[in-house]
Amino acid sequence: MVPGVRTVEIVALLVSSVHAFEGRPADGPRPDPAPVAREHVVVRAGLGLAGDRYFNHPAHRNAAVTLFAAESLDEVATTLGLDAVPDPLLVRRNIVLRGYPVDELAARRGRDGAVFSLDSGDGPVRFRARRPAHPCAWMDTVLAPGAFRALRGHGGVRCVPLDDGTLRLGKATLDVEG
């Protein structure tokens, strides 16, 4: 992980009031009662994303927001020989970025993860990366057979928001503190 400022793109934002991946993957995902794709999300310090199933959930306070690199899906498509790159919303991560290897932000060997900020035009919102967001067997069902294995080590990172703010789709600045 290299500290500093990078220009990235927020390609997907997801807020979901329910957990769609329950039960057995062979049975398919649970229907989501509300649209999950968002043009913008409201971030609340220590709580998560307003409206999300993990917002203010005690068991997820240090992992309420998930961040994912769109490039990981490019690699899945190449590795599995897919005709198209899967929709980034299918991985069910809250914030999908293009332009930075987000998995490098995660905590390693008992240390805290990186502190970083994202600014999509409404001011910076800081996060502390905590732990990797490991992929699950559902990826073989919703993306393609073999995706679960292809995403190992590239499932994103779970974060805690340190500031209130708003994030929007489009160009953004990512600043990793040194």
Side-chain angles (χ1 to χ4, degrees):
M1 175 193 62
V2 178
V5 178
R6 305 275 193 304
T7 298
V8 296
E9 182 180 3
I10 299 174
V11 298
L13 294 167
L14 179 136
V15 172
S16 179
S17 60
V18 300
H19 194 318
F21 298 154
E22 291 180 335
R24 297 180 311 209
D27 295 335
R30 175 179 168 173
D32 201 325
V36 295
R38 301 286 193 253
E39 294 290 320
H40 73 280
V41 294
V42 175
V43 182
R44 297 285 311 278
L47 300 174
L49 303 182
D52 192 67
R53 66 195 176 281
Y54 294 126
F55 182 81
N56 198 25
H57 192 279
H60 293 279
R61 289 241 173 84
N62 284 330
V65 176
T66 52
L67 188 69
F68 184 80
E71 291 85 354
S72 295
L73 289 175
D74 299 342
E75 184 63 29
V76 165
T78 299
T79 299
L80 300 179
L82 304 178
D83 292 334
V85 175
D87 181 341
L89 292 172
L90 293 175
V91 294
R92 306 283 294 180
R93 301 299 192 236
N94 299 120
I95 303 167
V96 181
L97 295 182
R98 181 169 293 284
Y100 191 83
V102 301
D103 296 285
E104 294 180 8
L105 299 168
R108 303 282 188 229
R109 296 184 204 104
R111 296 181 173 197
D112 283 338
V115 172
F116 65 95
S117 66
L118 280 169
D119 185 347
S120 59
D122 292 293
V125 180
R126 290 178 311 128
F127 296 87
R128 176 174 294 282
R130 288 294 186 188
R131 57 187 165 86
H134 299 295
C136 65
W138 277 95
M139 296 301 101
D140 284 352
T141 300
V142 297
L143 296 179
F148 169 54
R149 181 169 292 195
L151 282 171
R152 285 188 185 155
H154 305 285
V157 63
R158 297 185 180 280
C159 306
V160 59
L162 303 176
D163 299 318
D164 290 347
T166 300
L167 294 174
R168 299 179 186 283
L169 291 177
K171 295 293 181 192
T173 302
L174 173 75
D175 187 358
V176 180
E177 294 183 9

